[in-house]
Structure formats: C-alpha cells, structure tokens
Amino acid sequence: MSAVPAAPRPASAERDSDSLTEQRYGLLLHPPRAHSGLWVVPARVVAMCVVELRKLRHDRAELYTRAVQPALWLLIFGQTFSRIKAIPTGNVPYVDFLAPGIIAQSAMFIAIFYGIMIIWERDSGVLTKLLVTPTPRAALVTGKAFAAGVKAVIQGAVVVVIAALLGVALTWNPLRLLAAAVIVVLGSAFFSCLSMTIAGIVLTRDRLMGIGQAITMPLFFASNALYPVAVMPGWLQVISKGNPLSYEVDALRGLLIGTPAHLATDFSVLVLAALAGITAAAALLGRLAR
C-alpha cells in the first residue's frame, strides 16, 4: 500500500515562518548597519540620558529624601529671616527672594556628586563597555550631564510646590517656567561635569566624597542664593562673579519672581560653563577605565 504524499506547505505559511525567523534572529543573521549622519551624536546623547533616567524607576525614594533639605531651608531659614528682616531684599519678601536660590542649591547638590556614579560604573565594568562602543566620550558625558539636569528639574518642581504652599509669589507663565527649567538643566550639567572631572582626577569614591563635601557649601555661600551681592564684602563679590551658581540664581529670580536680572549674560555664562565642563569631563573619562 503506497504512502500518501504530504501536502505542500502554503506559500503564505512559508513567508510567515521566514518573517518570524527574521524577527528572532535578524541581528545574528545580518549585522546592524552603522548609523551615520548629522543626528547620530544627538541620538546617542538622548539614549544615554534615557538610560540614566530609567534608574529612577528603581530608586524613587531618592527624589523624596532630597526634598527634605530644601523644604527645611524654606520652612526654617526662610521663615525665620523673614521675621527678623536681617537681610535687605528691598520690596521682595525674603522667603520669595530665597526660593529661587534653594531651587538652584538643590539642583547643585544632586549634580555635584554625580561623579560617584561614574566611579561605580568603572568598578562594575559598565564604563569600560561604554567606552568601547562607537559613541563619542563627549556624548556619554553629555547624556549623563543632562540626565542630572532632568533630575534637578524634578527636584526643582518639588521646591516650587513647597514655595507655593508657603505663599511665595511665583510666576505660572508656561514660557517662564520652561526657561527656568532650561536654566536648571544648564547649571546642573555644569556641576555634574565638574563632579565627573574631579572623579577623573581622584579616581576613588572616598576622595570624591571628601572633595564634593568640601566645595558644595563654599559654592553655595559664595553665591547670591541667600543674600544679595551688594551686602557681601568686596572679596566675596569677586568670587561670586566667578561662581556659575550666582548666574543660575540670578536667572531663576528674574524668571520666577520677576526681579531685575541679566538673563542674556546668565544664559551665556551657563552655556559656556556647561560646554567647558563637558570638554573637561570627556577628556578625563578615559583615566577611569585604565
């Protein structure tokens, strides 16, 4: 008795099978094409930024715990000095004057220890893997810097809500708020790059922690975050003019509470500071992988 011949597979089934194989093993069968063009570096910067921000999904408590310190500054320091009127701020209530400074301070405190993450990535082997990819080092640093900026914007939004609950007369103009967010991102980008530059010099977390703690408070007190530049002694005014935090605070005050500000100068200084920080951090990034 002869066997019944098997029916041929329909052409559509073969195409579906080939399509499924291509989806599963496409990268093994055909190597990916190298991307080129004008948008490659910005795309990689955005990709690095997204990777950094995804870490927040695993540690959301960081945002809540970091909101405690700025809340204490506004509730205790701001309310107390508003009552005693020890710092002349003209017609602006002191807590209103203080709020933009605390936004800039909280953003700086997030960014200034960003180099610790770089050292952790070096110790875990992640940084070495990143450096052997075609992504330029400047793109790696820029992605991390702007991720720190986005975290700082989230932190700044928390401070804005606290300030609004305290009765601070902040603007709610969307364009001004967007401009303030850009200022915070630029300031945070500089301070995170400063931290990564220090990490590339000292190479260890303990040393970086010590230096970070040593420079954060001097940067804060040598700025106009707590008091006007006019009330500072002459030598401190000179230091304040070279402190990027002063320009960040000046811009935030002008945008959020409407005080006179030099927005063009503030923006230019922060852009130049961020570019210098990215250049320095990218140049020293290779030392961490040795």
Side-chain angles (χ1 to χ4, degrees):
M1 184 174 179
S2 61
V4 178
R9 296 179 62 190
S12 60
E14 292 182 358
R15 287 196 299 268
D16 292 343
S17 177
D18 293 343
S19 176
L20 183 60
T21 302
E22 182 69 22
Q23 290 177 5
R24 288 181 177 177
Y25 308 108
L27 290 177
L28 296 176
L29 299 174
H30 309 287
R33 293 180 301 174
H35 293 284
S36 60
L38 184 63
W39 297 101
V40 173
V41 172
R44 289 174 179 170
V45 169
V46 172
M48 287 302 305
C49 185
V50 170
V51 168
E52 291 295 318
L53 292 176
R54 282 183 177 176
K55 297 175 183 178
L56 286 177
R57 296 172 58 185
H58 304 287
D59 190 16
R60 295 179 183 177
E62 178 186 356
L63 295 176
Y64 306 130
T65 55
R66 288 186 180 276
V68 174
Q69 189 177 51
L72 292 176
W73 275 100
L74 288 173
L75 287 170
I76 299 175
F77 193 87
Q79 295 290 324
T80 301
F81 276 76
S82 293
R83 288 178 176 272
I84 64 178
K85 302 185 185 301
I87 299 176
T89 56
N91 297 325
V92 180
Y94 182 69
V95 71
D96 292 27
F97 178 87
L98 180 65
I102 298 304
I103 293 173
Q105 178 226 40
S106 61
M108 180 186 70
F109 282 9
I110 288 176
I112 202 68
F113 293 106
Y114 221 75
I116 296 175
M117 190 177 300
I118 288 286
I119 296 177
W120 178 86
E121 289 180 351
R122 185 274 310 274
D123 295 341
S124 62
V126 174
L127 183 61
T128 303
K129 295 176 181 178
L130 290 174
L131 290 177
V132 299
T133 65
T135 303
R137 293 179 181 179
L140 293 174
V141 171
T142 305
K144 292 180 178 295
F146 282 95
V150 174
K151 289 182 180 179
V153 169
I154 298 172
Q155 181 70 59
V158 174
V159 179
V160 167
V161 171
I162 296 172
L165 293 175
L166 292 175
V168 175
L170 297 170
T171 182
W172 297 108
N173 185 312
L175 293 179
R176 285 180 171 268
L177 292 175
L178 180 61
V182 171
I183 292 294
V184 170
V185 168
L186 289 173
S188 299
F190 166 73
F191 287 114
S192 62
C193 287
L194 175 63
S195 178
M196 288 186 277
T197 300
I198 296 172
I201 296 173
V202 301
L203 302 178
T204 64
R205 279 177 283 185
D206 293 338
R207 291 177 182 174
L208 180 59
M209 283 289 293
I211 294 175
Q213 291 174 350
I215 66 175
T216 48
M217 296 314 290
L219 282 170
F220 179 48
F221 287 112
S223 72
N224 56 352
L226 296 177
Y227 27 69
V229 176
V231 304
M232 298 179 184
W235 61 271
L236 190 57
Q237 292 185 21
V238 174
I239 296 175
S240 177
K241 290 180 180 178
N243 186 354
L245 187 64
S246 295
Y247 296 92
E248 182 179 355
V249 174
D250 183 69
L252 289 176
R253 284 204 180 105
L255 291 168
L256 295 178
I257 64 174
T259 58
H262 310 85
L263 294 178
T265 301
D266 298 334
F267 182 79
S268 300
V269 169
L270 291 173
V271 168
L272 291 175
L275 291 175
I278 290 169
T279 303
L284 292 171
L285 193 62
R287 292 192 75 236
L288 287 167
R290 293 174 187 171

